[in-house]
Amino acid sequence: MADRKIILSAVLGDGYGSLPFAWRAPQVDPGNYANIDANIRYAQAAERGGFAFVFTPDVPAVRSDVERSSIPNIMDPLMEAAAISQATTNIGFVLTGSTTFQEPFNTARQFKVLDIMSHGRAGWNAVTTSDPMVAANYGKPVADRGERYQRAHESVQIVQSLWGSWEKDAWIKDQATGRFIDPAKLQPINLGGQHVASRGPLPLPPSEQGQPVVFTAGGPSPHLLEFAGRYASGFLAEVWEIEEARAQRDAVRKAAEDAGRNPDHIKFFTGLVTTVAPTVREGLDRRMALSGGVFDARLPHLGAMLGVPLRPQDIDIPLTPEQLSVAHAAPGDPRSGIALRLAQAGWSPRDMLAHGAIDFHPVTVGPGHVHADHMQEWFEAGATDGFWIMPDVWEDGLDAFVDEVVPLLRERGVYPDDYVGSTLRENLGIPEQYGIGGWLK
Amino acid sequence: MADRKIILSAVLGDGYGSLPFAWRAPQVDPGNYANIDANIRYAQAAERGGFAFVFTPDVPAVRSDVERSSIPNIMDPLMEAAAISQATTNIGFVLTGSTTFQEPFNTARQFKVLDIMSHGRAGWNAVTTSDPMVAANYGKPVADRGERYQRAHESVQIVQSLWGSWEKDAWIKDQATGRFIDPAKLQPINLGGQHVASRGPLPLPPSEQGQPVVFTAGGPSPHLLEFAGRYASGFLAEVWEIEEARAQRDAVRKAAEDAGRNPDHIKFFTGLVTTVAPTVREGLDRRMALSGGVFDARLPHLGAMLGVPLRPQDIDIPLTPEQLSVAHAAPGDPRSGIALRLAQAGWSPRDMLAHGAIDFHPVTVGPGHVHADHMQEWFEAGATDGFWIMPDVWEDGLDAFVDEVVPLLRERGVYPDDYVGSTLRENLGIPEQYGIGGWLK
Ligand SMILES: Cc1cc2nc3c(=O)[nH]c(=O)nc-3n(C[C@H](O)[C@H](O)[C@H](O)COP(=O)(O)O)c2cc1C
Ligand SMILES: Cc1cc2nc3c(=O)[nH]c(=O)nc-3n(C[C@H](O)[C@H](O)[C@H](O)COP(=O)(O)O)c2cc1C
């Protein structure tokens, strides 16, 4: 633990950014969504910053008001990563894939091919898909959680077994003796459950890291914790406050221990939406310009988070002492504490909203040290092993992070100076894996 | 029809070649199967030869005796093509995808992303999977033909509808006015059948050719002909004799007409396994060295094809006049006529086997004109629109074809001097497609 360092990851998605109108930013080409060159550029920027992996969420459906907003999703995680793998050398790929709407054999195959094509840099973020708009694209309703997790267990066991169906040195390929594969080291898996089944073996050899790394993502429900504890080497969390993050990280580590695993072999990541700017003010202005004018509509929600009714005409006025004296963090919304601290610091409601008080993940805005401080504090408090970074606008936001935040983290000794190795497992600090997973032993 | 030209395609697969021991050839790296650089090199060679597309068959299972033979399949068609698309500019990708073991939404999505990433070069070879070893990898038995084709019809209709769910100019992406998509031109599809369903729309815009090209492959069963006639713009056939090829091509064209389509909009391709060598003798020797010593075992089969018992000790002796006087092409095997002609030309049984008399597709062996003659004859007889070429060994066999056969075809005026355009549809001579397919109108 002495040389424990922050692990960084960059989200890749639609090619624009986390702000609703990022696609309209002057520095952004509005065709980026369908232009693989954009995500190649961003992955290369992240690689320049020593990021361990890019992370692609995946919610494949047209869900937003597409007349004015972009479709906030990557075209396809695996297909884009296949292309990006050829233009990068060290950065890993943690790609979301559904256990509900994918056949385990197809998942095992495509992730393993990415692992091979990237020389050991693939990871699978295994999620049970609960979005009804996605389910409808497969002509199905959303199953209840019990059924989704039953299928998820079956799927990941089949996938990991298929990955392990070749032992480390099964592929001999000796032209002189004519032995291609050692048949004793290549075995079918013959696994079948209630929902999915496969015989195997997978027709694919191990990669430089053995097999892809399993991640999962979500809140700390008992279902997800058990799933993560058994199979996952990475956990992508959604959490706003440092205490809550530490509790979640402890719960995830305990779940791994309960499953008989080393808790250091599951890494816990919290999210961070970043706007890097010379000053906080400039950062807020940058965010405002691309927020799509949603602030007026969100004002009542912000008021509810603070327990203080906010009127439209007061949007630019910091809360009065009277308002502050009754303001409190509403317990129903985990972001309320952040909003309260901003209010107490004298921010206007508009600036609080521009800061992302009602966004999906914690937000940091301002010069490099603002972001570095947040990360160092969380990391040193044992609240996280690293961060997935979601820039406001990819085109310049990721470069700004690499140029202005990464050097500070390195100066402070909390971030590695270079890649530890060329595989994802090496850069995460988890062991290579060959053969069948521990859960079957 | 005046400027009708041969359309060429190169098979991509395991990185070795069509001969069982291609993986042991001295010019071949035995790690090619898991090395994407090999297939990139071969696709670039085919592009140098003006090939309209590479074609990847797909039978994802460990089926062969892998102790001595390679696994004769590509790692994954879509993932490899995603990478290859970034290293090529004109050549298309016709990739096999199962209608039986893939969800239509996933098929629609990944092929469309390839189409977008390659700027309009994707095609889908839609097949119903009938191999029990593949089915077992999905934990299922092989369904009967009626059920497989029912699901195939549903799948291709959903896939094509998803591809067409954006009209040509739906994606406005105008930063000034802030209109991203014209919602009137982006519609859900709401298609559901007995086996598969999807709501859509697909979250992906049209490509430079509108949408990927649908192919199919197989023998001329009524099921497949109806399927091809309704949806396919390309048909990959398995046929050994010119008359039979013409009959099949006519049947495929008639099926398209019966479905109300222009028969020139479905292109018919026959296979050709090639060994390019300075002389026929050198070509046969090259093939013998990499055939894995299967000839003795195959001798009885060859005898049965000719109606003449062949003894092991006679393997190097051309048939006697007495044998030839009773020899005839056994009607049960479509390759018998070729074997008979070789026997009548005085070939020994070993040379006949080395020539590929019992291979899966027609074989041509020798200097450039041997291959060019075959292709010109078939093409000018109206037996085919083009060929999918499967070299004996990819590493040098494809370059040899490009260097020694393609120039002859060009001299003879039967092959284009350059690409017609940069999309697969342009290079096939079929119209671009936007919106919903004709079968729904
Ligand atoms: C950081 C993060 C990323 C997530 N990414 C995805 C995703 O890409 N696709 C998806 O369907 N769900 C995603 N989820 C949702 C979770 O997988 C999970 O479905 C959700 O938390 C609901 O949990 P439940 O299914 O256990 O009820 C993500 C969650 C978090 C916290
Ligand atoms: C040139 C050619 C290529 C084929 N490629 C594939 C393939 O890649 N994968 C596959 O499962 N079947 C492939 N097939 C098999 C056919 O799709 C089809 O399943 C077979 O002809 C049996 O036909 P049926 O299903 O109509 O009985 C191919 C057939 C031909 C002639």
Side-chain angles (χ1 to χ4, degrees), chain B residues 55 57-59 96 125 127-130 145 148-149 217-219 221 224 236-238 361 388:
Chain B
F55 160 49
D58 193 34
V59 186
T96 299
N125 178 34
V127 302
T128 80
T129 305
S130 54
R145 196 184 260 161
R148 276 188 283 121
Y149 277 88
S221 73
L224 188 60
L236 301 159
E238 175 178 48
H361 298 287
W388 46 270

Side-chain angles (χ1 to χ4, degrees), chain B residues 41-62:
Chain B
R41 208 157 56 232
Y42 309 147
Q44 289 172 336
E47 187 165 73
R48 190 167 65 82
F51 285 46
F53 59 95
V54 293
F55 160 49
T56 62
D58 193 34
V59 186
V62 175

Side-chain angles (χ1 to χ4, degrees), chain A residues 6-256:
Chain A
I6 291 174
I7 303 168
L8 287 184
S9 153
V11 177
L12 288 189
D14 63 14
Y16 306 123
S18 65
L19 293 169
F21 281 8
W23 75 270
R24 295 180 64 182
Q27 70 272 35
V28 171
D29 180 333
N32 274 354
Y33 173 55
N35 186 354
I36 182 68
D37 295 339
N39 275 336
I40 288 176
R41 206 156 58 231
Y42 309 147
Q44 289 172 336
E47 187 166 74
R48 191 166 64 81
F51 284 47
F53 58 96
V54 292
F55 160 49
T56 61
D58 193 35
V59 185
V62 174
R63 303 184 302 162
S64 48
D65 161 24
V66 290
E67 185 162 5
R68 293 176 33 88
S69 302
S70 60
I71 297 170
N73 207 55
I74 194 164
M75 287 198 294
D76 184 76
L78 282 154
M79 295 293 286
E80 292 211 22
I84 299 169
S85 74
Q86 303 302 297
T88 52
T89 52
N90 286 81
I91 196 161
F93 302 91
V94 175
L95 313 179
T96 300
S98 175
T99 55
T100 303
F101 296 116
Q102 301 290 337
E103 278 285 344
F105 185 80
N106 294 337
T107 297
R109 185 185 191 192
Q110 291 198 317
F111 277 90
K112 190 67 172 294
V113 170
L114 177 65
D115 206 31
I116 291 170
M117 292 202 316
S118 66
H119 300 288
R121 294 187 277 142
W124 172 33
N125 178 35
V127 303
T128 80
T129 305
S130 54
D131 188 299
M133 314 274 283
V134 176
N137 284 335
Y138 298 91
K140 305 224 171 75
V142 176
D144 66 42
R145 197 184 258 160
E147 189 180 323
R148 275 188 284 121
Y149 275 89
Q150 169 67 26
R151 183 173 161 136
H153 280 272
E154 294 177 11
S155 296
V156 76
Q157 290 186 17
I158 291 174
V159 168
Q160 287 197 317
S161 300
L162 286 168
W163 287 340
S165 60
W166 299 49
E167 286 176 38
K168 185 168 183 172
D169 49 0
W171 195 21
I172 309 168
K173 55 178 189 316
D174 180 354
Q175 290 179 316
T177 63
R179 292 193 84 207
F180 191 68
I181 289 172
D182 181 346
K185 295 182 174 169
L186 175 65
Q187 297 295 340
I189 63 162
N190 291 314
L191 279 184
Q194 282 172 246
H195 300 279
V196 282
S198 186
R199 183 174 69 182
L202 192 68
L204 293 168
S207 77
E208 283 81 347
Q209 67 174 355
Q211 50 185 262
V213 183
V214 173
F215 275 63
T216 193
S221 73
H223 281 85
L224 187 61
L225 282 177
E226 191 211 343
F227 181 79
R230 290 179 74 179
Y231 316 110
S233 303
F235 190 98
L236 301 158
E238 173 177 50
V239 58
W240 281 267
E241 299 276 19
I242 198 164
E243 285 312 321
E244 182 62 19
R246 183 155 52 194
Q248 275 195 31
R249 178 167 178 263
D250 288 347
V252 165
R253 291 171 60 87
K254 179 165 180 306

